[in-house]
Amino acid sequence: MSRQVQDAYIVAATRTPVGKAPRGSLRNTRPDDLLVAAIQGALAAVPELDPAAIEDAIIGCAMPEAEQGNNFARTAVLYAGLPDSVGGCTVNRFCSSGLNAVVMAADRIRVGEADVMLAGGAESMSMVPMGGNKVSFNPRLFESNEHLGIAYGMGLTAEKVAAQWKVAREAQDQFALASHQRAIAAQRDGEFRDEITPFEIVERVPNLASREIDLRRRRMELDEGPRADTSLEALAKLKPVFALKGSVTAGNSSQTSDGAGALILVSEAALRRFHLTPLARFVAFSVRGVPPEIMGIGPKEAIPAALRTAGLQQEDLDWIELNEAFAAQSLAVIESLGLDRAKVNPLGGAIALGHPLGATGAIRAATVVHGMRRRSLRYGMVTMCVGTGMGAAGIFERV
């Protein structure tokens, strides 16, 4: 039985502040607790919505094990106070996990299988290292050189992109500096206020005098990655970390981070039923594969594909969140497609704001949705490169 495609609307989009890993403010906070805070923040934005109407929660996570294992999507739903009737599913497409969660939730609505869905992502890179606690490649990987790039570290793939697309070290450092400058200006101007749900950090500290455990509480309201004190001179002093004569450094790479994001998507019927005001409409999504050893170039293929699906031209995009996994791959994508730099990451990107892997897609979706509303823009995109050689891109329309 065929179903008529209907629109999916975002009515709430929020995120936690992003902490630096592994020594930042959120280093001792479990990722499921970060996710709970994001979910509760999204629910608080739409008090008229009956939580029991949510049919399922789809949550992205790039390393779904340990503290973020055991299908933590479901447990976070319950810890957030949602009724038992709300399901939960954890999905993984590495750095695109959070965006894919949004897409999958939207698709359930678009084909008429659901009217209200919860989507998001969460990642603690402080608690679960990149690659997980046990990295185990299939031995077939090493039987030939055909797919050896699957085993490359992300930094090495960035070096290969920098070499192939001739992205100079100075250009990478300039791009990184601009990311920090834009992020600092955005924080100063309150640009993230609409999208961030402040997070209360609870620390347990031994009191040697009383021989008890003291609880210390503090409120975190901003991402802690942006640095006002960085400069081209400081960035230029950093040594390459992935190749002896390379150009990719800690300063022009994304920051390892902790954070979570959550969005609520509904059908047009649910908009009317609960008298909700949509923030944006989900438009289109595309994923494309590229050689694993140059995975960073993935958005170059995914962006045109998503635009074709949406029936749009590149110039129709008003806001582009291009995840800055590395300055090298970001610049290669920008130059290859001729993207308008003024539209790319206007509030800074992952080099300054952080990249909590599986959460980033949901976090940046919240940035796009609220940013377009503040500036009365129509179309926005979230796009990123993805490990093992992929690119993903999702398009949203302000309504």
Side-chain angles (χ1 to χ4, degrees):
M1 180 179 177
S2 63
R3 295 183 175 93
Q4 184 176 357
V5 175
Q6 59 181 347
D7 284 323
Y9 298 92
I10 297 167
V11 294
T14 190
R15 65 178 182 91
T16 67
V18 173
K20 299 181 71 172
R23 292 179 291 274
S25 296
L26 300 176
R27 66 188 182 280
N28 295 320
T29 302
R30 290 180 58 95
D32 45 5
D33 287 335
L34 290 172
L35 181 55
V36 166
I39 292 172
Q40 291 176 334
L43 291 170
V46 282
E48 56 271 59
L49 176 67
D50 180 3
I54 298 174
E55 298 179 45
D56 202 0
I58 304 176
I59 304 298
C61 180
M63 304 296 157
E65 61 170 75
E67 288 87 352
Q68 50 203 33
N70 298 310
N71 189 21
F72 78 149
R74 167 63 173 169
T75 53
V77 160
L78 298 177
Y79 296 152
L82 287 166
D84 292 345
S85 59
V86 181
C89 174
T90 305
V91 300
N92 178 13
R93 198 196 289 268
F94 290 156
C95 298
S96 180
S97 299
L99 178 60
N100 265 91
V102 174
V103 172
M104 293 169 71
D107 284 347
R108 289 283 307 280
I109 293 169
R110 296 170 84 201
V111 300
E113 292 181 347
D115 282 312
V116 185
M117 294 286 293
L118 176 66
E123 197 90 28
S124 172
M125 298 183 74
S126 293
M127 293 188 173
V128 182
M130 186 179 298
N133 294 302
K134 180 185 177 183
V135 181
S136 181
F137 292 111
N138 189 312
R140 294 175 58 185
L141 179 64
F142 306 101
E143 292 175 0
S144 71
N145 290 326
E146 185 179 3
H147 300 301
L148 193 59
I150 292 173
Y152 287 1
M154 297 296 100
L156 185 55
T157 68
E159 288 285 9
K160 289 189 172 296
V161 169
Q164 186 168 334
W165 274 267
K166 297 179 173 56
V167 184
R169 165 68 185 272
E170 184 179 2
Q172 295 176 51
D173 288 346
Q174 289 174 339
F175 185 86
L177 176 62
S179 183
H180 283 281
Q181 290 174 334
R182 288 182 174 188
I184 290 294
Q187 288 184 333
R188 180 196 63 217
D189 297 338
E191 294 270 17
F192 298 116
R193 190 177 298 119
D194 293 338
E195 70 187 69
I196 290 181
T197 294
F199 186 81
E200 184 182 50
I201 299 169
V202 180
E203 298 175 315
R204 292 167 173 79
V205 182
N207 187 322
L208 299 181
S210 65
R211 297 185 177 182
E212 295 179 349
I213 300 296
D214 292 342
L215 293 182
R216 297 180 183 175
R217 301 177 183 271
R218 56 192 176 95
R219 183 178 169 93
M220 184 176 179
E221 298 183 352
L222 292 174
D223 304 317
E224 59 185 11
R227 296 186 56 172
D229 61 346
T230 194
S231 64
L232 277 180
E233 292 73 22
L235 290 168
K237 292 178 181 178
L238 298 175
K239 295 182 179 180
V241 291
F242 302 107
L244 183 61
K245 296 182 179 180
S247 59
V248 179
T249 71
N252 57 41
S253 304
S254 60
Q255 300 182 29
T256 55
S257 312
D258 310 320
L263 298 86
I264 296 175
L265 296 91
V266 304
S267 66
E268 187 172 346
L271 285 178
R272 295 193 300 267
R273 176 184 173 191
F274 296 106
H275 307 288
L276 300 168
T277 301
L279 302 174
R281 179 180 71 92
F282 172 78
V283 178
F285 171 78
S286 184
V287 62
R288 288 292 186 273
V290 298
E293 62 270 21
I294 52 170
M295 70 94 197
I297 203 65
K300 183 176 79 73
E301 305 299 328
I303 290 173
L307 288 168
R308 286 194 298 271
T309 300
L312 298 173
Q313 302 298 314
Q314 189 168 288
E315 54 267 28
D316 293 325
L317 296 174
D318 302 303
W319 188 305
I320 303 170
E321 284 295 315
L322 171 61
N323 185 48
E324 299 169 356
F326 301 93
Q329 58 84 209
S330 296
L331 285 167
V333 171
I334 290 170
E335 295 303 320
S336 294
L337 294 179
L339 298 179
D340 184 343
R341 289 205 188 192
K343 297 179 179 180
V344 176
N345 303 346
L347 309 183
I351 289 173
L353 297 169
H355 178 24
L357 297 181
T360 298
I363 288 172
R364 296 283 73 92
T367 300
V368 162
V369 165
H370 289 290
M372 289 194 300
R373 290 187 68 78
R374 284 194 307 275
R375 302 187 184 188
S376 298
L377 304 176
R378 184 173 183 184
Y379 289 111
M381 171 180 281
V382 177
T383 183
M384 65 267 294
C385 57
V386 185
T388 68
M390 290 180 284
I395 300 175
F396 303 87
E397 180 186 18
R398 178 182 65 88
V399 293

